[in-house]
Amino acid sequence: MKMDVLALFPEIIAPALQTGILRRIQDADRFSINVYNLRDWATDKHKTVDDYPYGGGAGMILKPEPLFAAVAALNTESDAQIVYLTPQGTPLTQSLVEALSLESHLILICGRYKGIDERVRQKIVTTEISIGDYVLSGGEIAALVLIDAIGRVLPGALGDFESAHEDSFSQDLLDHPHYTRPAEYEGMKVPEVLLSGHHEKIKEWRHAEAIKRTAQRRPDLLQNLELTDEELALLQTSENKSSC
Ligand code: 6GU
C-alpha cells in the first residue's frame, strides 16, 4: 500500500508515523507513506493556498489550483483513490477501513478552514470520509485516524494474524472483558472459567460477555446480526438480571 497525504499541517501527522505498528510496517516495506505540505504546490510568492468564498461569508476555502497540481504530481500511475477527509463524508467503519486497505494507492486530502473548492470534489475526489459526528479544526487528525486503522489491518501488521479478526467490530460485537494476573486483586476475583484451562468454555464465556456488553452499550450493532436462539436466550437472561 502506498499512501500520500496532503496537509497544511503535516507536522501533526509525521511524528505518529514513526511509532508502533505504523513504524514497523513501513520498515517491513508493507506500507509506504509520505506527507506533503500543500503549500509546496502554491504558485505565488506568498504560497497562498486559500481564498475568500464567492458569495461571501465567514471562513476561507482551499483554492483549486494547488490541489489539482498536487494530485496530478502524486497520482503518477493514475490508479489512486483520492480521499477527502470531511465531516460531510461517509462515516468511517471497520468494513470501509478493510475495503480501503486493499487499494494499492491512496491520496488523502486534509481540509482546513471552510473546506475545499467544490470543483476539486467534482473532478478528482473519489471518496469522502468522516470520522464521526463532531467537527475537528482540520482533516489532519482524521487522516491520522484513517492511516492508523488501515495500517493495522495490512498484511504483516499484527504479529498474530488472528488478532485483527478477533477484535472488537471485526465480528460486529464489542470486545469481551480481559484480565491478567493477579487472579485476585483487592478482593476482586478473575472469573473462574478463565482460570480453568477449558478452552471451549472460555470461548463460550467470552462470546456471551461480548453479546451482553454489546446489548447494553451498543444495541444498534446487534440489529445487523442474526442471533442464534442460544444468543437470544442469553440476552433474555441478562435483561432480567439487569432489571432487578
Ligand atoms: Cl474528516 N474532518 C473534520 N474537519 N472534522 C471531522 C472529520 C473530518 N470527521 C469528523 N469530524
Side-chain angles (χ1 to χ4, degrees):
M1 150 84 65
K2 179 174 161 57
M3 208 187 270
D4 295 303
V5 188
L6 288 165
L8 283 180
F9 295 103
E11 65 274 22
I12 294 176
I13 301 170
L17 305 179
Q18 303 309 323
T19 64
I21 288 178
L22 291 176
R23 166 84 267 161
R24 206 147 38 84
I25 52 172
Q26 289 174 89
D27 290 346
D29 290 332
R30 301 280 189 166
F31 187 46
S32 165
I33 178 163
N34 287 294
V35 189
Y36 300 93
N37 195 324
L38 184 61
R39 280 189 205 284
D40 295 346
W41 283 275
T43 51
D44 63 322
K45 72 167 193 269
H46 297 112
K47 302 264 171 218
T48 310
V49 290
D50 59 347
D51 206 342
Y52 296 96
Y54 272 121
M60 302 293 275
I61 311 297
L62 292 181
K63 290 164 64 60
E65 302 92 326
L67 283 166
F68 275 97
V71 170
L74 297 172
N75 195 7
T76 46
E77 315 267 314
S78 305
D79 64 345
Q81 289 281 339
I82 317 297
V83 179
Y84 173 44
L85 283 308
T86 167
Q88 296 152 45
T90 305
L92 185 63
T93 58
Q94 191 64 26
S95 53
L96 182 48
V97 167
E98 281 167 23
L100 289 168
S101 76
L102 303 175
E103 295 287 339
S104 56
H105 188 188
L106 298 178
I107 298 177
L108 310 188
I109 298 175
C110 305
R112 276 268 152 187
Y113 319 120
K114 278 278 160 190
I116 63 178
D117 187 282
E118 190 66 16
R119 290 163 291 188
V120 176
R121 287 178 134 145
Q122 287 171 347
K123 195 83 180 178
I124 52 179
V125 169
T126 55
T127 317
E128 300 195 16
I129 293 177
S130 161
I131 63 157
D133 291 338
Y134 41 82
V135 183
L136 303 170
S137 56
E140 285 85 353
I141 292 172
L144 202 42
V145 167
L146 180 61
I147 294 162
D148 187 275
I150 290 176
R152 67 181 288 287
V153 298
L154 290 176
L158 298 173
D160 176 0
F161 178 75
E162 295 264 300
S163 50
H165 291 271
E166 265 182 20
D167 58 16
S168 188
F169 284 112
S170 277
Q171 357 165 40
D172 299 312
L173 289 178
L174 300 185
D175 210 356
H176 54 77
H178 297 273
Y179 295 88
T180 185
R181 289 186 288 181
E184 183 173 341
Y185 178 75
E186 298 201 344
M188 295 180 287
K189 288 185 175 158
V190 171
E192 202 64 46
V193 59
L194 297 179
L195 311 177
S196 70
H198 194 308
H199 297 298
E200 204 49 45
K201 286 224 169 89
I202 291 171
K203 213 171 145 192
E204 277 168 27
W205 180 86
R206 287 180 168 163
H207 185 64
E209 292 298 314
I211 299 244
K212 285 192 273 181
R213 187 170 269 191
T214 308
Q216 267 171 5
R217 299 184 184 188
R218 292 292 306 278
D220 57 305
L221 293 178
L222 287 182
Q223 276 163 10
N224 309 325
L225 296 181
E226 290 204 12
L227 296 183
T228 64
D229 289 347
E230 273 172 9
E231 289 168 336
L232 288 169
L234 197 71
L235 288 181
Q236 214 75 66
T237 333
S238 71
E239 266 166 32
N240 292 343
K241 270 190 205 149
S242 59
S243 61
C244 303

